[in-house]
Amino acid sequence: MNVRDNAQQRMLRVDLSTGAIGVEDLPREWTGKYLGARGVTGRLLYDEVHRGTDPYGPENVLYIGTGPMDGLPVGMGRLSIATKSPRGCIGEGSVGGFLGPELRRAGYEYIAVRGCSDKPVYLFIEDDRVEIRDAGHLWGKTTYQTDDLLREQLPDPDTQFLYIGPAGENLVHSAMVFSGRDSTGGRAGGGEVMGAKKLKAITVRGHGGIKPHDYDAFIDAYKGFRRLLNLRTSRDMWTPVWSTYGAPVLSRLFPDLGNLMTNNAQMMSWDSEKAAAISSEHFMNDYVSRAQSCFNCPWPACKKNFRIDKGENAGFTGGNYWAGQPVALGSAIDNGDLDLMLILSGLCNQYGLDIFHVGFTLSWAMECFEKGILTTADTDGLELRFGMTDHQALIDLLDKIVRKEGFGELLALGCWEASKRIGKDSYKYCLTVKGQELEAIAERNLLMVGLGIAVSEVGPDHTRWYPPYPPNPSIISKEELHELGIDLDLKLAFDTRNPKQKGELLRWFTISRAVVEALPSCVFLVRDTLGLDLRPWWKLFEAATGIELDYQEFVKTGERLMNMDRLFNVREGFSRKDDHVPYRMANEDVPHFGYKKIDQVTLDGMLDEYYTANGWDPQSSVPTRPKLEELGLTDTIADLEANGIEVKG
Amino acid sequence: MKKLELRYVAAVYPITSKLNEQFETDAGTLRELIRELDDVYGGFTEMFLDSRTGKLTLNTMIYYGAKGSVPKGVLDADQPIADQATITFW
């Protein structure tokens, strides 16, 4: 059996315009320099997708990337999906499931797809056998239908699938990529770019093996890692909650704390009965049909499949109910009906839509309607109001969005582009950054989140610096932190409404999560001290690959990744002006809770601290020459300068 | 006698089988309240108080909201409790 060398990563190249297929080994030193997954895909994107590339054109490349830890018990099947986003920035996100390990067993860590097919195709991979196959029979099908049809053709249950739904085919804003029925990712552009390439799916089956370089050392390291995630003894309030009830529990807590975006974030609290109606507890009691984990996850099951058993919607099934749904498809549109929320969420998954796009674009449109900016003449006659009780009208609207029909054509653009079309100051009601809708987490009470969504290279994405709530400072001493190279005043950094130290804290969170995602592993496992002390991850990496890095050099890989993402964006023309919070968060205090708006002065202070700590020029946000030299990225300087970017220092 | 609004979230809910309740108590501190709740719903003390140190456990959280104020996470088990407070056990 062919066993992967975890220190040597290999890439499959496919050109859908020419039909060419090739394989190449990536430079061996990249595994120590960029780790894997988003580290490697970020470097490849910078090198191969040049400034001004049309995101929907044949020169854009879609990278699917695993990494040296995938297939081992800490990989969780994570995949990086990276491409140039239709929003112009880097479009990278991660998806779980089982495809990552299977891809490695087939002999590859990466797939790079260039070109555009002139007809729908899917990519078939079984070890060395790689074929571009006709997907005419899959085009137009929902994700569930696609899964069923592919399974009929490829009945081996170990064959793993990645695909898009009709939303991706139709280039609907923020369309998702699915790995298996309900593992989703790619909202930053992956689904749209697959659609533009007419690449409906990728199927993968491998027969090779994956094992750590040093088995005994790996098991020792794994035991230490696993102890920190023990449900009974983990020193982290989220561990038992996340692994059993999942993130929707926040729907009952957030209204009291002023953290729940309600009616398009005009309010930050919500009716407690509605919050209870869509709570995790209600969901677990009455709807969950099966809990599900990604590959080899040490947690019981953070994903939940559901089935509606009663009422007119009995028999409807779906999966992946997470923190986003209670906000985007709940409080944001004032929907306290769990049946409706699950149906909207399930249909989003079947169509391949992003729930945040749908929820926050609907909430934007509802606010515009209530302010008279949109009327029934724009909405195909629909009375589009918060808390609307015409459920079928909302369900029908999803179908229109996917098909880009009537009013759905406007909403399919996402609210930022839609606001440009209708004008009338409607941009003030967009909850977007870099053209991408927010997620579920509030900003004005959690200033690190405000800064995090502002500077995120891919648009709002909390996994770049997860978790928004730092761990209890008492679990690690100041001396230990200093020993780890983290010179933070934790008490100040963890004061959620004090802007001081938020830049420093965010910098650390971003670097350390980049490391975790590049191994790759799941940032939702960053619990207890695992987000501050990366030594357990470091030991696992060393035992898995045999690559010996100094601890600080291991941590620095995360900083390198974070800089590569920024370099891609600044070369595309992004700068400090693009690092902002939505208009509402910048201009309105939170009613009733006393949380102040994140005005420009507050944001500027945090940005200055963040850029300076990163070694970036505070005016332009471009990484400085000394920083790029320190990170071994000197080769990018000439390229930046050739593209008219000034690199200072 | 104090009247409290108690709320039970996630892993606490299977112990109580209810999402929230009005609770009357003479408890003066959170620690006393936890012990009283343990008499009603076995498991509260084990879940929220570290048997070695007597401090609040680190894998749970309690939010305490005095009447009319925004709840805050509690770090001290001996925090006093007042009439009409809302307390969320997480």
Side-chain angles (χ1 to χ4, degrees), chain A residues 231-232 234 252 256 281 285, chain B residues 7-8 10 13 19 46 59:
Chain A
L231 298 192
R232 288 175 64 84
S234 173
R252 286 180 61 220
D256 292 351
E281 293 86 352
N285 267 359
Chain B
R7 303 202 305 167
Y8 309 116
Y13 169 58
L19 292 174
E46 184 189 355
N59 65 350

Side-chain angles (χ1 to χ4, degrees), chain A residues 181-454:
Chain A
R181 284 181 178 241
D182 294 299
S183 291
T184 60
R187 72 187 283 258
E192 292 160 85
V193 170
M194 276 183 78
K197 293 185 178 304
K198 286 200 164 45
L199 178 63
K200 177 71 176 179
I202 298 174
T203 71
V204 182
R205 178 71 173 104
H207 296 86
I210 301 163
K211 65 178 188 180
H213 173 82
D214 182 336
Y215 182 83
D216 291 336
F218 188 86
I219 293 299
D220 277 349
Y222 183 70
K223 285 177 183 167
F225 166 80
R226 192 68 183 79
R227 261 194 297 276
L228 296 170
L229 297 171
N230 186 305
L231 298 192
R232 288 175 64 84
T233 57
S234 173
R235 298 166 299 174
D236 192 314
M237 62 184 271
W238 305 93
T239 304
V241 173
W242 252 221
S243 53
T244 51
Y245 278 77
V249 293
L250 293 170
S251 67
R252 286 180 61 220
L253 192 61
F254 270 8
D256 292 351
L257 302 178
N259 283 352
L260 193 68
M261 288 184 265
T262 301
N263 290 14
N264 202 37
Q266 293 178 86
M267 300 179 289
M268 296 303 289
S269 188
W270 202 28
D271 181 281
S272 60
E273 285 187 15
K274 287 180 180 174
I278 62 163
S279 67
S280 272
E281 293 86 352
H282 182 197
F283 176 68
M284 289 281 277
N285 267 359
D286 295 336
Y287 294 86
V288 170
S289 58
R290 186 167 66 95
Q292 202 180 347
S293 289
C294 293
F295 176 85
N296 260 344
C297 183
W299 278 6
C302 74
K303 288 194 288 190
K304 307 283 189 291
N305 291 346
F306 65 81
R307 184 182 62 237
I308 298 175
D309 284 333
K310 298 171 195 161
E312 59 187 287
N313 302 302
F316 187 90
T317 61
N320 199 17
Y321 182 61
W322 196 238
Q325 283 89 342
V327 182
L329 302 175
S331 59
I333 58 172
D334 194 23
N335 167 36
D337 183 315
L338 188 51
D339 272 19
L340 176 63
M341 184 190 305
L342 293 175
I343 289 169
L344 292 176
S345 173
L347 289 176
C348 280
N349 278 10
Q350 291 183 36
Y351 291 143
L353 287 164
D354 169 26
I355 60 155
F356 295 111
H357 155 223
V358 169
F360 287 121
T361 299
L362 276 175
S363 67
W364 165 82
M366 287 173 174
E367 186 168 357
C368 287
F369 190 89
E370 295 203 338
K371 287 183 160 60
I373 296 170
L374 290 172
T375 68
T376 50
D378 304 297
T379 64
D380 305 336
L382 185 62
E383 289 280 332
L384 196 63
R385 297 190 184 280
F386 292 110
M388 59 190 284
T389 52
D390 185 351
H391 295 177
Q392 192 56 47
L394 281 175
I395 292 166
D396 292 344
L397 192 50
L398 282 194
D399 192 58
K400 284 187 168 183
I401 292 172
V402 173
R403 296 178 192 281
K404 293 185 168 177
E405 284 177 4
F407 183 49
E409 195 268 336
L410 181 75
L411 302 185
L413 296 169
C415 62
W416 182 250
E417 288 300 320
S419 76
K420 286 186 193 170
R421 187 185 286 185
I422 68 169
K424 302 176 189 172
D425 282 349
S426 60
Y427 74 90
K428 291 180 177 175
Y429 315 117
C430 290
L431 301 179
T432 56
V433 181
K434 297 184 176 79
Q436 188 89 33
E437 286 77 8
L438 294 184
E439 300 174 302
I441 307 165
E443 293 78 23
R444 286 165 286 186
N445 182 29
L446 298 163
L447 288 179
M448 191 193 81
V449 175
L451 179 62
I453 62 162

Side-chain angles (χ1 to χ4, degrees), chain A residues 43-54:
Chain A
R43 178 74 225 196
L44 288 165
L45 258 176
Y46 185 86
D47 289 346
E48 298 182 352
V49 178
H50 303 298
R51 179 179 184 157
T53 296
D54 174 7

Side-chain angles (χ1 to χ4, degrees), chain A residues 445-466:
Chain A
N445 182 29
L446 298 163
L447 288 179
M448 191 193 81
V449 175
L451 179 62
I453 62 162
V455 302
S456 172
E457 314 297 348
V458 299
D461 180 353
H462 69 300
T463 63
R464 301 310 244 207
W465 34 261
Y466 181 87

